[in-house]
Amino acid sequence: MNHAARSLCSVLVMAGLLCSCDTPPAPAPFPVPDVQTGAITLGSGFVEEQVASDLVAPTAMAFAPDGRLFVAEQRGTLRIVQNGSLLATPFITLNVDQQGERGLLGIAFDPQFSTNGFVYLYYTTTTPAVHNRLSRFTASGNSVVAGSEVVLLELDNLTSATNHNGGAIHFGKDGKLYVAVGENASPDNAQTLNNLLGKMLRLNADGTIPSDNPFFATASGNRRSIWALGLRNPFTFAVQPGTGTMFINDVGQSSFEEINLGVAGANYGWPATEGVTGDSRFRSPVHAYGHGTSATTGCAITGGAF
């Protein structure tokens, strides 16, 4: 199973949707995977509950302010779970390139969604060349308003490599839209300001670029949106409500998976480093774990939530 297909299960568990507390929560062990079977042993006070079925390769999800759950499917369909049921008609169906890890990969709701109906999507488009795109759409009930797409950012054209697209998008406490972008399996992309790949980007809600971005004066064009660099494939990240603290989950290569504290202007070191580093040029992760099958190691990091 690829990173995209695994993410929803991982995030549902961490968000409490598959493991929802049925009693007032006392401190309890976090669900622990059995490294041999992949089974989850639930902590005391947790129960497993299925909230939706019949999803096809879900990649990302977000709750609308009214409680509806919007789930992105890699094939380009955005589905809605409402009142415990998966609605038959998608909110929108996009024409996407879904090879490898491409497709519909990210969703966020505008902080003023209840009044403006704005929904933001990150997806791999096929025209005029294959690349990832950030667009804004307007919702009307459970449907998208026809013709409402506003393209906010066209990312760099992709090579024949179909992996490392990133795709997570979230609004920060500052009201800015943050966009996590993979390096398209070309490690050198992560260390240059000449493209948007291997970066965390920061935009105003209308797609313009904030003048206080850390590289606004040194980069040019849409590269002024770069907020942090040195990432391999930040497929997911999360922003803590209230504090605005950001944790960026960066999928590793040979050795380590990383959880990085989101900091303006930070360089997380890929491809020069992977995992904890003593190199003063780079920022070490707040947590890293190795690959393997022991109780203290694991596979790709695919989700996390506060």
Side-chain angles (χ1 to χ4, degrees):
M1 189 183 301
N2 66 23
H3 299 163
R6 286 180 295 185
S7 67
L8 183 65
C9 181
S10 302
V11 176
L12 284 172
V13 170
M14 294 183 182
L17 292 173
L18 288 179
C19 304
S20 56
C21 196
D22 58 357
T23 59
F30 193 79
V32 176
D34 182 306
V35 295
Q36 299 300 323
T37 66
I40 293 291
T41 301
L42 299 180
S44 174
F46 288 83
V47 61
E48 182 175 325
E49 179 182 351
Q50 179 174 291
V51 297
S53 60
D54 298 324
L55 292 163
V56 179
T59 54
M61 66 177 192
F63 282 99
D66 58 18
R68 290 176 296 166
L69 176 61
F70 283 61
V71 182
E73 295 180 322
Q74 184 179 8
R75 60 184 176 175
T77 45
L78 184 60
R79 310 296 301 277
I80 300 176
V81 179
Q82 185 175 28
N83 298 324
S85 298
L86 179 68
L87 302 187
T89 303
F91 172 81
I92 192 173
T93 299
L94 295 169
N95 181 28
V96 302
D97 183 325
Q98 57 180 308
Q99 297 182 78
E101 296 169 3
R102 299 171 178 171
L104 176 55
L105 304 174
I107 174 176
F109 290 96
D110 192 280
Q112 305 303 317
F113 174 79
S114 59
T115 56
N116 62 28
F118 290 163
V119 182
Y120 300 79
L121 299 177
Y122 178 111
Y123 66 97
T124 313
T125 183
T126 59
T127 57
V130 177
H131 65 284
N132 292 308
R133 171 183 288 167
L134 176 70
S135 286
R136 187 187 74 203
F137 298 83
T138 303
S140 176
N142 289 328
S143 301
V144 67
V145 174
S148 66
E149 180 175 12
V150 176
V151 176
L152 301 183
L153 182 65
E154 303 278 24
L155 282 81
D156 301 87
N157 289 345
L158 299 173
T159 67
S160 59
T162 62
N163 54 339
H164 300 187
N165 291 277
I169 54 176
H170 299 288
F171 277 90
K173 183 182 179 181
D174 57 3
K176 308 303 182 183
L177 182 59
Y178 290 81
V179 183
V181 186
E183 35 81 303
N184 190 211
S186 297
D188 289 345
N189 284 332
Q191 288 297 322
T192 177
L193 295 179
N194 292 326
N195 64 55
L196 301 179
L197 306 177
K199 316 295 194 309
M200 179 67 73
L201 313 179
R202 178 177 179 258
L203 299 167
N204 294 314
D206 62 0
T208 58
I209 300 173
S211 60
D212 62 347
N213 274 3
F215 304 105
F216 191 88
T218 52
S220 61
N222 64 9
R223 276 89 70 192
R224 294 179 299 169
S225 66
I226 296 172
W227 186 75
L229 69 160
L231 294 164
R232 182 173 181 267
N233 188 27
F235 179 65
T236 58
F237 71 99
V239 178
Q240 185 177 31
T243 70
T245 297
M246 179 191 297
F247 281 166
I248 305 168
N249 305 317
D250 199 14
V251 178
Q253 185 181 50
S254 302
S255 303
F256 293 99
E257 304 296 300
E258 295 183 0
I259 301 174
N260 293 289
L261 180 65
V263 176
N267 187 331
Y268 300 105
W270 176 255
T273 67
E274 185 176 304
V276 176
T277 177
D279 191 325
S280 61
R281 296 175 299 167
F282 306 126
R283 188 177 187 93
S284 276
V286 296
H287 179 69
Y289 65 86
H291 298 159
T293 56
S294 74
T296 56
T297 60
C299 296
I301 185 165
T302 57
F306 287 97

